[in-house]
Amino acid sequence: MTKQLANVPPMGWNSWNTFYNHINDELIRSTADAMVEKGFLEAGYEYLIIDDCWSLRERDENGNLVPDPEKFPYGMKAVADYVHEKGLKFGMYSCCGVRTCGDYPGSFEHEFQDAALFASWGVDYLKYDNCHRPNSQTSEMLYRRMSMALRSTGRDILFAACQWGTENVQQWIRSTGAHTFRSTIDVQDSWNSIEMIARSRIDDPYPTGNGCFNDMDMLVVGMNGQGLNPETSILGGISGCTAEEYQTHFVLWAMLNSPLIIGCDIRNVSEEAKNLLTNKDIIALNQDTECRSCYKLTSYANPDIFVLVKPLSNNDYGIGFFNFSDTAFHVPLYFWDIGMTVSEGSTLELYDCLDHKWIGKKKEKYIPLVPSHGCKVFRGTVKVR
Ligand code: GLA
């Protein structure tokens, strides 16, 4: 009997955003060290995931995937063992097509063989991409198949379907057995990319919750334009985001129940980015065991100014005030709009999750000034007189 995975959104680190194909044994081991030493594991980031470009370009004579011996001279089991010794879980990557997105062998028609190989190495998480899929094959069928293959190994392997939001994935993904599903194109280290992904899932929310979470892609917090991936780095013309924008990105991904998978080089992470990524009050909104979706309140019919409200398991509410416009804005919340009556004397007590302090009991409304591309986020407790 295997245990139920993804009771709350998975948290971890993934090599792709920053390191692209520049991955190797030393990088993974030193990142594992940093995840522990810098407090990321303690904050909840438990999966260390190697993305695309880890194998040789072809399978061996037995049809097995082979870790590139130049990148991983001791093989993948040795990497997994090191990661496990640190108290972390180990994640890998494959693809439902004949080739991966980076043009390495995909798992199509090798699903059960690959799943058994991953299990023998001690893999705990599989990111499963959607490139180079024969036209005759639906991703629904192929995700079902890999889910079956992983389950048949008898090992608890979290199945992260990287589906990009096509073919109405939100309608069928849960039934494939996948634990997370990418619902957007790849994130980039820019505010435009963050805004585009956030708006798509706020304006068209996909089902997300215990056992199967909507994945808005990795976090770019702390990258500061330093990635080696031409699509996410300064080399590709992406200069990173402001501190305010990274903060808004992190709060949005947390409130919308996305997996929190760090994409920066945490070995060299700035104090500012580390403090944000390990903010326990924001993480608590994401890891809340009821895993409820947010609802959105808009004002002045202005799509750039909105409030997200997320019911939490202890009767509190996560309340985020967001401003996507180019100037500072007073973003209003009228308490009637979250269900309160006011004439009965109820109040809303607010705890600021970014400043870590209670700001007192509010009556009728709260209208903070929110900087451009910024946010304010609170845990709210309703006090009924
Ligand atoms: C796709 C995925 C990315 C990454 C790359 C690897 O683009 O969406 O997250 O895994 O493939 O090639």
Side-chain angles (χ1 to χ4, degrees), residues 14 16-17 51-53 93 100-102 127 129 131 162 164 182 184-186 217-218 231:
N14 175 299
W16 182 252
N17 277 2
D51 207 280
D52 202 356
C53 312
Y93 166 99
T100 71
C101 301
K127 173 172 173 177
D129 221 329
C131 277
C162 181
W164 315 323
R182 273 275 303 281
T184 65
I185 59 167
D186 292 8
D217 205 3
M218 277 92 75
E231 284 169 15

Side-chain angles (χ1 to χ4, degrees), residues 151-203:
R151 282 159 193 259
S152 74
T153 67
R155 190 176 168 86
D156 292 326
I157 302 179
L158 192 150
F159 184 32
C162 181
Q163 208 277 348
W164 315 323
T166 63
E167 298 177 42
N168 293 317
V169 62
Q170 73 280 11
Q171 293 174 9
W172 49 261
I173 192 67
R174 195 175 178 96
S175 69
T176 66
H179 299 103
T180 65
F181 65 106
R182 273 275 303 281
S183 63
T184 65
I185 59 167
D186 292 8
V187 71
Q188 297 187 335
D189 186 14
S190 74
W191 172 252
N192 280 351
S193 169
I194 290 166
E195 180 178 350
M196 192 264 296
I197 290 176
R199 279 193 199 271
S200 72
R201 289 292 71 85
I202 292 166
D203 295 338

Side-chain angles (χ1 to χ4, degrees), residues 18 21 62 69 174 194 243 251 255 273 276 282 288 347 373:
T18 294
N21 61 351
N62 300 316
R174 195 175 178 96
I194 290 166
V251 169
M255 287 204 61
L276 176 60
I282 304 294
D288 184 76
T347 55
H373 299 179

